[in-house]
Amino acid sequence: EAGVTQSPRYAVLQEGQAVSFWCDPISGHDTLYWYQQPRDQGPQLLVYFRDEAVIDNSQLPSDRFSAVRPKGTNSTLKIQSAKQGDTATYLCASSLNWASAETLYFGSGTRLTVL
Amino acid sequence: QQNVQQSPESLIVPEGARTSLNCTFSDSASQYFWWYRQHSGKAPKALMSIFSNGEKEEGRFTIHLNKASLHFSLHIRDSQPSDSALYLCAGGGSALGRLHFGAGTQLIVIP
């Protein structure tokens, strides 16, 4: 079974530049999550979807971050104007459904460095 | 808002040692508790979960949950160098799909 696929693997930007991250979840998983993991910290939830609907984006900095999952499969997370504080690994995860009892399957992440 | 605290931040143990990792959570309504393990540069991967008070053992790994004291722990028997990783505890409760992760404990097992 294919796992969660993310691209690109790495991104290096200057402050003010834009970047997009792409995620392909495990087939059949209706729930998709985007987490931000600063160096030496645990993952912090940014946004999650059930199918194409946003369930919770309260932790997403809405002035610069956006996330979509238009067909309920793949998802894109975009940062419009990156800041040095955005330097982190961005992890995508999927689960069979949105119950807290379900296992999260993570991708390998995109490591973002903002200079 | 769930607050998950892990201790210690880092731990170095010799091969063969028994290792204990601790987690405290703030939301007494939490129902689902997980340990995830993340090897360097890799994706976090679910290790074990428990959904009621008590103990659960799988191979060399044992987890304990005490909701009354808001405490959750992971114990590793006969620690191996391959156990070296970042261990993340996570709790989830009434909010469907919302797991809160701690900052992690970095474990290093010396051969």
Side-chain angles (χ1 to χ4, degrees):
Chain A
E1 178 183 84
V4 176
T5 304
Q6 290 187 247
S7 65
R9 190 75 175 92
Y10 301 94
V12 181
L13 308 174
Q14 298 290 334
E15 273 199 324
Q17 288 186 308
V19 64
S20 292
F21 311 131
W22 180 81
C23 175
D24 187 7
I26 292 173
S27 178
H29 283 194
D30 70 9
T31 309
L32 184 146
Y33 309 78
W34 284 102
Y35 283 87
Q36 181 191 59
Q37 186 177 22
R39 186 176 174 79
D40 297 329
Q41 293 187 34
Q44 298 159 21
L45 183 67
L46 292 173
V47 58
Y48 76 99
F49 299 84
R50 186 183 184 192
D51 297 322
E52 68 278 4
V54 173
I55 303 301
D56 184 354
N57 62 359
S58 60
Q59 303 304 308
L60 196 67
S62 58
D63 58 334
R64 297 184 300 110
F65 285 64
S66 62
V68 295
R69 193 186 183 199
K71 297 182 180 179
T73 51
N74 301 338
S75 177
T76 303
L77 175 69
K78 184 174 183 178
I79 306 176
Q80 281 285 10
S81 179
K83 298 181 178 181
Q84 287 188 354
D86 299 331
T87 293
T89 296
Y90 290 82
L91 294 166
C92 178
S94 68
S95 62
L96 193 59
N97 58 58
W98 64 335
S100 295
E102 287 295 331
T103 302
L104 296 184
Y105 295 87
F106 284 89
S108 296
T110 296
R111 186 174 296 183
L112 174 66
T113 303
V114 184
L115 303 174
Chain B
Q1 177 79 6
Q2 175 75 281
N3 184 23
V4 180
Q5 298 291 325
Q6 290 191 241
S7 63
E9 289 185 7
S10 62
L11 191 57
I12 301 174
V13 301
E15 183 174 355
R18 176 180 167 85
T19 301
S20 294
L21 310 177
N22 298 293
C23 183
T24 58
F25 50 96
S26 60
D27 184 0
S28 59
S30 294
Q31 300 175 54
Y32 307 100
F33 299 88
W34 292 84
W35 284 98
Y36 281 75
R37 182 167 70 178
Q38 186 176 23
H39 287 103
S40 181
K42 303 293 185 183
K45 189 172 181 181
L47 189 61
M48 291 179 72
S49 61
I50 191 166
F51 304 149
S52 60
N53 270 334
E55 177 180 303
K56 184 176 179 181
E57 181 178 339
E58 289 181 5
R60 297 185 293 110
F61 299 87
T62 303
I63 55 177
H64 292 267
L65 175 63
N66 184 328
K67 289 187 179 183
S69 62
L70 303 177
H71 186 253
F72 182 42
S73 60
L74 171 68
H75 306 274
I76 306 173
R77 175 172 49 84
D78 187 25
S79 298
Q80 298 297 307
S82 58
D83 295 331
S84 297
L86 181 69
Y87 287 79
L88 299 161
C89 73
S94 55
L96 290 173
R98 181 89 196 237
L99 273 186
H100 297 264
F101 283 86
T105 293
Q106 185 68 53
L107 173 65
I108 298 173
V109 182
I110 306 296

